[in-house]
């Protein structure tokens, strides 16, 4: 369960950084949010523009965390975001592995960071959701915000509370259910991509988070870091 302890700030370098620097004094499930991030980032150190008006938060997992659980954590976080957006009347899809897309534009992203060699000491899950910014400078054709997609009243604290509630509700579900929801919302199943100059069709995403592709009638399993899916997402990040 997350959110029993919440901390809110006006500005931090990033909410994941805050958790990393203060983890010794924080309990499992602590949620940290900030109005701004001066050094927000996504996967592979990509910058995440973190201006005022959006929702930036991270939560800390320290109990019963293992490498085998990372895919479920990603699935669960992604599905919770999509379900939150549905409550605001917005249909969203998941861009494998960790972005949420609305109308071909990115609206949310997830960054999972861990510590540990042979076993995990902790997991930090960072989430950024574009909420109140009508325009994101330099990314007008790649990103959107909830204010552009929903007619519902928008309030950042309420949005965070809904995420926490839905994430915790999903905690009671099986991996099979969570994985099924992730597949249901996935953009990539059935799409054609290029791998090493060959046509490949994405058939599935495993419960451990790997892509299953068909190349000339043969099935192969790839980790997301091994191939690029950028060709699928013209108009999105």
């Amino acid at each position: 369960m997350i959110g029993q302890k919440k901390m809110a700030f006006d500005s931090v370098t990033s909410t994941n950084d805050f958790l990393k620097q203060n983890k010794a004094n924080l309990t499992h499930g602590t949620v940290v949010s900030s109005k701004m991030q001066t050094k927000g980032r996504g996967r592979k150190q990509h910058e995440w523009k973190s201006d005022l008006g959006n929702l930036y938060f991270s939560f800390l997992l320290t109990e019963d965390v293992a490498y085998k659980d990372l895919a479920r954590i990603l699935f669960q976080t992604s599905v919770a975001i999509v379900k939150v957006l549905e409550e605001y009347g917005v249909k969203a899809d998941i861009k494998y592995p960790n972005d949420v897309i609305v109308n071909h534009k990115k609206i949310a992203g997830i960054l999972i960071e861990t510590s540990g060699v042979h076993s995990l000491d902790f997991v930090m899950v960072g989430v950024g959701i574009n909420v109140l910014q009508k325009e994101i400078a330099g990314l007008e054709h790649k990103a959107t915000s909830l204010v552009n997609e929903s007619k519902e009243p928008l309030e950042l604290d309420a949005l965070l509370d809904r995420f926490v509630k839905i994430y915790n509700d999903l905690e009671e579900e099986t991996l099979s259910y969570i994985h099924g929801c992730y597949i249901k919302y996935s953009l990539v199943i059935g799409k054609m991509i290029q791998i090493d100059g060959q046509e490949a069709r994405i058939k599935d995403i495993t419960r451990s988070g790997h892509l299953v592709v068909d190349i000339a009638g043969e099935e192969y399993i790839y980790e997301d870091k091994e191939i690029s899916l950028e060709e699928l997402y013209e108009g999105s990040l």
Side-chain angles (χ1 to χ4, degrees), residues 56 73 160:
Y56 314 110
I73 293 167
L160 177 56

Side-chain angles (χ1 to χ4, degrees), residues 13-181:
T13 54
S14 80
T15 52
N16 267 23
D17 284 347
F18 181 89
L19 289 181
K20 190 181 301 183
Q21 294 159 5
N22 296 279
K23 63 183 182 300
N25 301 313
L26 300 175
T27 56
H28 174 84
T30 297
V31 175
V32 173
S33 62
S34 182
K35 294 179 181 178
M36 291 180 61
Q37 298 182 124
T38 58
K39 294 183 179 179
R41 64 187 186 279
R43 293 176 72 243
K44 301 178 182 178
Q45 298 302 311
H46 290 167
E47 179 188 4
W48 178 275
K49 289 186 176 292
S50 305
D51 298 327
L52 280 170
N54 299 321
L55 180 60
Y56 314 110
F57 67 94
S58 298
F59 54 93
L60 179 68
L61 304 176
T62 58
E63 297 177 1
D64 301 320
V65 290
Y67 284 106
K68 67 179 179 61
D69 300 319
L70 291 177
R72 179 191 169 115
I73 293 167
L74 175 62
F75 296 158
Q76 189 169 328
T77 304
S78 304
V79 170
I81 294 171
V82 171
K83 287 184 176 291
V84 168
L85 297 180
E86 285 180 343
E87 292 192 355
Y88 287 83
V90 175
K91 180 185 181 302
D93 299 293
I94 298 168
K95 170 190 166 183
Y96 177 86
N98 66 328
D99 290 337
V100 177
I101 305 295
V102 173
N103 291 327
H104 307 291
K105 296 181 179 181
K106 182 172 176 177
I107 198 169
I110 301 163
L111 175 64
I112 296 179
E113 296 183 290
T114 64
S115 175
V117 180
H118 301 296
S119 61
L120 291 180
D121 300 318
F122 62 86
V123 176
M124 299 174 300
V125 183
V127 176
I129 304 176
N130 299 330
V131 182
L132 297 174
Q133 274 188 285
K134 290 190 174 181
E135 294 184 0
I136 300 174
L139 296 173
E140 293 85 356
H141 301 297
K142 294 184 176 182
T144 188
S145 298
L146 197 49
V147 70
N148 295 326
E149 309 293 341
S150 175
K151 297 180 180 179
E152 300 295 324
L154 300 174
E155 202 275 322
L156 296 180
D157 288 341
L159 194 67
L160 177 56
D161 288 344
R162 291 309 302 154
F163 173 87
V164 169
K165 172 67 166 57
I166 292 172
Y167 184 93
N168 287 336
D169 287 346
L170 290 171
E171 195 73 16
E172 304 301 317
E173 301 290 348
T174 63
L175 173 58
S176 177
Y177 175 82
I178 301 294
H179 176 257
C181 290

Side-chain angles (χ1 to χ4, degrees), residues 191-230:
K191 297 291 180 64
M192 300 299 297
I193 58 174
Q194 289 283 325
I195 299 178
D196 297 329
Q198 299 182 82
E199 286 282 322
R201 182 172 64 86
I202 300 173
K203 295 187 65 176
D204 200 1
I205 299 165
T206 70
R207 292 187 184 185
S208 56
H210 298 152
L211 285 179
V212 180
V213 303
D214 181 292
I215 302 176
E218 296 287 336
E219 279 193 8
Y220 299 88
I221 295 178
Y222 286 85
E223 296 183 18
D224 69 278
K225 66 183 179 183
E226 294 179 309
I227 58 177
S228 172
L229 300 177
E230 292 303 314

